[in-house]
Amino acid sequence: MVSFAAGLLNATVQAATVLLLAGLGELISERAGVLNLGVEGMMLVGALGGFVVTAVTGNYWLGFGVGIACGMALAAVHAFLCISLKSNQVISGVMLTLLGTGLTTFFGSGWVQESITGFPQMTFPIVGRYLVHLPLVGEAFFRSTATDYLALLAVPVVWFFLYRSNLGLEIIAVGEDPEMADTMGVPVFKFRYLAVIIGGGFAGAAGAHLSLAFSQLWVPGMTVGRGWIAVALVVFAQWRPSRMLVGAYLFGLLDALQLRSQSLSLALDPNAPLAGVLNPLVNTLMNPQIMSTYPYLTTIAVLSYAVIRTESVRLAVPSALLQSYNREMD
């Protein structure tokens, strides 16, 4: 059981990294008042771009950088449509998800059979070689890929950026009251562009982590809805980076449990009381196909809770989220 728990925790860390990176990027974008439903497509272009460059050059850091750049490029399209052309943010985001899915399926078809040597497992710098032997948590937190460590480091960095730097506070002001921010001299359009593109870079990094560290291969549609989960995570986290960390690990646990459940048997002894009733129920709940729906069912529950909660108590939703800003009308 201990080895199962250690393996489950290790898989949770790896699965959570994807959601954490994508979720932080979405949080920054929404803090500036721009909803980005194109995260899924940006993750896919980041995954394919990073994979192809790594396969060609053998340099996974270069591939990771290209993955980030691919996400930023697609996010720039979203920014142009929503900020400059004032298009509907929901429609633009969904369109970019479909565009990213279609482009990567077409251009990535020739790379499906390829394999790469991506990010290796490494011990945490300096203290890792001592702490990696800790029972249960040692391997999970102190022997991971560099991208796992970067995702954890990104949480306090994003928090400091948003709440302790002038630029971050001005981005929040733009998402809360763009008219007032503009009056105070904050360049609303420029900062919204910046936030959306930074968010796209995080989404690209999440996709690159998926293809270069998590699986080390390319499969069309390999994000399997993680981009949508990242959007729901922002609601779960109430637009706060620290809560994003908790949410990412919760959803990562559900994802990891699905992969590891086949080696776990929770069936009762056939002679135990109620075994005839409980065993079929446990077998159904632990079925891999059923378990694969848990993250998405949780996503629906989180979004439903947000809708209900919004009607009674105001969440920390940025006041100007989804609102285009037209300076000429003021």
Side-chain angles (χ1 to χ4, degrees):
M1 182 58 78
V2 174
S3 61
F4 172 81
L8 179 63
L9 189 58
N10 195 25
T12 299
V13 171
Q14 296 178 30
T17 296
V18 181
L19 302 174
L20 187 56
L21 287 171
L24 287 173
E26 179 67 17
L27 186 149
I28 294 172
S29 179
E30 291 191 18
R31 272 297 187 184
V34 181
L35 177 68
N36 182 6
L37 295 183
V39 176
E40 184 86 358
M42 294 167 197
M43 290 172 67
L44 284 170
V45 297
L48 178 61
F51 183 86
V52 171
V53 170
T54 302
V56 172
T57 66
N59 187 328
Y60 45 78
W61 278 113
L62 180 60
F64 190 67
V66 170
I68 292 174
C70 289
M72 295 174 78
L74 203 57
V77 177
H78 183 60
F80 177 71
L81 291 173
C82 297
I83 300 171
S84 295
L85 301 185
K86 299 178 177 54
S87 303
N88 184 289
Q89 296 178 13
V90 174
I91 295 174
S92 173
V94 172
M95 182 272 291
L96 287 175
T97 287
L98 297 175
L99 178 64
T101 304
L103 288 176
T104 53
T105 300
F106 178 76
F107 290 106
S109 59
W111 297 92
V112 175
Q113 303 298 329
E114 302 290 334
S115 60
I116 60 169
T117 301
F119 285 95
Q121 296 275 325
M122 56 178 285
T123 56
F124 191 84
I126 303 176
V127 299
R129 58 178 174 170
Y130 303 107
L131 300 179
V132 74
H133 301 295
L134 287 173
L136 194 61
V137 299
E139 288 284 339
F141 288 101
F142 300 104
R143 192 191 301 280
S144 294
T145 63
T147 49
D148 291 322
Y149 299 137
L150 285 176
L152 289 172
L153 179 63
V155 176
V157 170
V158 169
W159 176 86
F160 185 86
F161 170 71
L162 286 176
Y163 298 105
R164 290 294 183 271
S165 72
N166 290 334
L167 179 57
L169 291 172
E170 288 173 336
I171 286 176
I172 291 176
V174 166
E176 294 293 341
D177 192 338
E179 290 84 0
M180 179 63 72
D182 198 5
T183 303
M184 299 296 290
V186 176
V188 175
F189 297 106
K190 178 181 176 181
F191 281 4
R192 281 193 165 181
Y193 260 94
L194 179 64
V196 173
I197 292 174
I198 290 176
F202 272 89
H209 164 80
L210 198 59
S211 62
L212 303 182
F214 186 75
S215 62
Q216 301 195 353
L217 51 82
W218 161 254
V219 177
M222 65 190 301
T223 50
V224 290
R226 290 184 174 92
W228 301 107
I229 294 176
V231 175
L233 267 179
V234 178
V235 180
F236 177 89
Q238 296 190 355
W239 291 264
R240 298 174 185 173
S242 57
R243 294 189 181 188
M244 178 68 67
L245 179 65
V246 177
Y249 272 76
L250 173 61
F251 280 81
L253 175 63
L254 293 174
D255 199 6
L257 193 58
Q258 166 203 343
L259 300 175
R260 296 273 172 173
S261 62
Q262 296 181 27
S263 61
L264 179 66
S265 176
L266 297 178
L268 299 174
D269 187 297
N271 297 321
L274 300 178
V277 176
L278 294 179
N279 280 346
L281 177 62
V282 170
N283 290 336
T284 301
L285 294 176
M286 297 295 288
N287 183 287
Q289 282 73 35
I290 298 295
M291 295 192 72
S292 66
T293 66
Y294 290 170
Y296 309 106
L297 292 175
T298 307
T299 301
I300 294 172
V302 168
L303 293 178
S304 301
Y305 167 78
V307 172
I308 297 170
R309 181 81 170 166
T310 303
E311 293 176 353
S312 56
V313 181
R314 184 180 180 277
L315 295 176
V317 185
S319 300
L321 182 63
L322 283 168
Q323 296 179 10
S324 298
Y325 179 59
N326 191 343
R327 191 175 189 180
E328 288 75 15
M329 294 180 63
D330 292 62

